[in-house]
Amino acid sequence: MEISANDPRLKSWVDVPQGSDFPIQNLPFGVFRTESQLPRVGVAIGDKILDLKALHILGYLENLPFRLEDFLADSLNPMMKHGKKASRDLRNRISKLLRSDMPDLRDREHHVKQVLVSQSEVQMLLPIRVGDYTDFYSSEDHARNVGTMFRDPAKALLPNWKHLPVGYHGRASSIVVSGTPINRPMGQVNPSDDTPPTFKASGQLDFELEVAFVTFDGKPMGQRISTGEADDYIFGLMLFNDWSARDIQRWEYVPLGPFLAKNFGSTVSPWVVTLDALEPFRVPGPVQDPEVLPYLKYEGNKNIDIHLEVGIIPSNGQETIVSRSNYKHMYWNMTQQLAHHTVGGCNIKCGDMMASGTISGPTEGSFGSMLEIAWKGTKPVAMTDGSTRNFILDGDNVVIRGYAEKEGVRVGFGKCEGVVLPAIEF
Ligand code: CA
């Protein structure tokens, strides 16, 4: 499968600063608005955004199936309704228009003025109208760390873990775009089962470093999507912080899993990096032993080499990087997650969001949550400003960054960040 927009030799006539997450080989989609204009769909290029609504009006998107309403929209869902092939054709067309050797748009200065906006002048909106949100638990190192801390190190993984991608259905309504503050949740906590619970602000607020993918419309209910078909139903990926209140989680999660510990907020990055743009960064996944059931077998390289890092910026502004991990560490890949999700007949829809689960690497320094980094509070993390952290404090800004890089091409995600505000204790 040749995707012309991925050619590493391409250069754009739009200036792309050194180290930018958004060269012409990326072209991620997002939704933005300016003070005077309605929300619309755009594509990031360098420090600019290409306004697809304006581009459509000026006739540059002819012979593609898209209508004006697909771009004059407050989410990417109408555009995504056209499916994988149309999305790929659209990205290839945009790539062609932005290539340094293509004069069609480049040399029409009056058009360029209408279609390019500075990222610094706009507000980025939540790009997806999220239908259903599913959270997996697919990093072996994370599952092993948690199992070691809370159960038996010798039996850290539960018996099902290597046979199916464990997941649960989460809450879609509280998924917010990067930059949205998160209030520390109130809730029931009970450190000891011998005492009654108390109601208080969570004292163990944590982040979870994750990557989420969003889907096109799937098959009708009752039918399944195979691992071989799964990529055709995935539009793109985003950075994802699945905020978690560990003390609330501890008391509430048996027997049905996390509830209020996870539903008070999740943060996503504003740009959806297409799966197409990430194809050049595919790598093999880990060997799966024991052998998985036939419906979970897959062919080809299905993991993706995406460098991930988490920084904490206290209110004094001094950032400390607390984790460097990588999406390639996933034990279960996206095609297996989607195949498992639908194997019983569950239908997926345009705009569903599926998160990876906390992505921890094999070594200290690569863990994807404060729970693991500070090892249940036993190894407080030293911050640049001299303070320490076991969990996230009020005023802390948690920033996730991610990028793939190869042959001098860097395909990045921008930032996924959120400041924690004090609990509302009424
Ligand atoms: Ca999670």
Side-chain angles (χ1 to χ4, degrees):
M1 173 189 51
E2 195 67 29
I3 301 171
S4 61
N6 290 349
D7 187 339
R9 295 166 301 182
L10 294 180
K11 297 254 184 293
S12 177
W13 50 265
V14 179
D15 181 50
V16 176
Q18 190 72 30
S20 169
D21 278 347
F22 309 121
I24 191 170
Q25 288 83 2
N26 190 347
L27 305 179
F29 292 82
V31 176
F32 70 99
R33 97 174 148 211
T34 63
E35 273 188 16
S36 58
Q37 292 179 318
L38 290 168
R40 60 198 53 204
V41 173
V43 163
I45 175 80
D47 293 338
K48 299 274 198 284
I49 299 174
L50 185 68
D51 179 338
L52 296 199
K53 181 239 172 190
L55 205 63
H56 188 276
I57 288 176
L58 292 171
Y60 288 98
L61 301 178
E62 276 176 5
N63 301 318
L64 293 169
F66 300 94
R67 307 155 305 163
L68 182 62
E69 306 89 85
D70 297 328
F71 304 122
L72 186 57
D74 62 4
S75 77
L76 299 177
N77 296 45
M79 186 190 89
M80 289 162 58
K81 275 279 180 188
H82 295 278
K84 182 90 171 192
K85 180 179 183 303
S87 302
R88 177 173 296 163
D89 291 345
L90 174 62
R91 180 167 165 272
N92 283 338
R93 173 74 60 86
I94 292 166
S95 169
K96 210 168 168 186
L97 288 167
L98 293 175
R99 277 167 55 169
S100 54
D101 57 343
M102 296 297 280
D104 303 42
L105 177 60
R106 183 193 71 192
D107 291 352
R108 291 194 173 105
E109 207 179 320
H110 58 298
H111 283 179
V112 171
K113 271 188 202 152
Q114 294 175 64
V115 300
L116 282 186
V117 195
S118 285
Q119 288 180 28
S120 58
E121 288 167 17
V122 310
Q123 181 192 0
M124 296 306 298
L125 306 178
L126 182 67
I128 304 292
R129 188 174 294 256
V130 184
D132 281 302
Y133 158 48
T134 300
D135 192 20
F136 286 96
Y137 190 59
S138 290
S139 153
E140 180 175 353
D141 291 297
H142 172 67
R144 200 176 284 287
N145 285 341
V146 173
T148 299
M149 264 184 261
F150 291 103
R151 289 188 301 272
D152 177 0
K155 292 180 188 164
L157 296 181
L158 289 169
N160 62 3
W161 200 90
K162 290 206 161 180
H163 293 280
L164 54 84
V166 169
Y168 70 98
H169 288 115
R171 185 74 195 169
S173 67
S174 54
I175 295 176
V176 294
V177 72
S178 177
T180 309
I182 298 289
N183 279 98
R184 179 178 299 274
M186 300 289 295
Q188 280 196 31
V189 300
N190 190 2
S192 159
D193 294 345
D194 307 328
T195 54
T198 54
F199 180 70
K200 64 185 276 287
S202 170
Q204 297 183 347
L205 180 59
D206 203 352
F207 62 81
E208 288 190 336
L209 166 62
E210 305 199 18
V211 169
F213 68 87
V214 287
T215 60
F216 296 113
D217 269 324
K219 294 180 180 179
M221 190 172 151
Q223 297 185 27
R224 63 180 73 163
I225 293 172
S226 70
T227 56
E229 297 166 324
D231 285 346
D232 289 340
Y233 294 94
I234 298 172
F235 174 55
L237 281 67
M238 311 152 88
L239 303 174
F240 193 92
N241 181 352
D242 186 28
W243 298 97
S244 299
R246 302 295 178 199
D247 42 359
I248 296 173
Q249 187 174 354
R250 185 204 169 274
W251 172 233
E252 74 173 2
Y253 86 103
V254 178
L256 290 185
F259 190 30
L260 308 196
K262 304 268 189 181
N263 73 2
F264 59 92
S266 307
T267 306
V268 288
S269 51
W271 295 107
V272 182
V273 176
T274 61
L275 187 57
D276 277 356
L278 293 164
E279 289 294 344
F281 307 98
R282 294 278 197 184
V283 289
V287 174
Q288 295 185 324
D289 182 21
E291 195 177 356
V292 298
L293 285 168
Y295 81 93
L296 289 169
K297 288 187 176 156
Y298 66 95
E299 286 178 8
N301 290 344
K302 292 300 173 189
N303 281 42
I304 308 179
D305 185 358
I306 302 173
H307 303 274
L308 300 166
E309 68 170 36
V310 185
I312 298 175
I313 310 176
S315 42
N316 64 24
Q318 285 188 47
E319 178 169 11
T320 304
I321 302 297
V322 295
S323 177
R324 287 189 177 85
S325 186
N326 195 303
Y327 188 53
K328 72 181 178 188
H329 295 310
M330 303 297 295
Y331 187 85
W332 298 103
N333 63 54
M334 286 181 281
T335 70
Q336 294 179 307
Q337 291 170 337
L338 207 46
H340 183 65
H341 204 301
T342 60
V343 75
C346 173
N347 51 334
I348 60 149
K349 300 183 104 173
C350 178
D352 283 354
M353 191 168 285
M354 312 219 174
S356 55
T358 308
I359 305 164
S360 292
T363 53
E364 279 190 47
S366 67
F367 297 164
S369 66
M370 289 301 287
L371 179 70
E372 297 162 86
I373 296 166
W375 208 259
K376 235 168 108 183
T378 61
K379 295 180 181 174
V381 177
M383 302 284 288
T384 313
D385 65 5
S387 63
T388 58
R389 293 287 183 286
N390 287 323
F391 291 98
I392 303 303
L393 300 183
D394 291 348
D396 286 351
N397 185 20
V398 177
V399 186
I400 300 176
R401 302 181 187 85
Y403 67 93
E405 194 162 28
K406 191 180 172 185
E407 295 174 12
V409 173
R410 175 190 170 108
V411 169
F413 286 77
K415 285 194 289 187
C416 170
E417 64 182 333
V419 174
V420 172
L421 300 180
I424 301 171
E425 303 193 37
F426 50 77

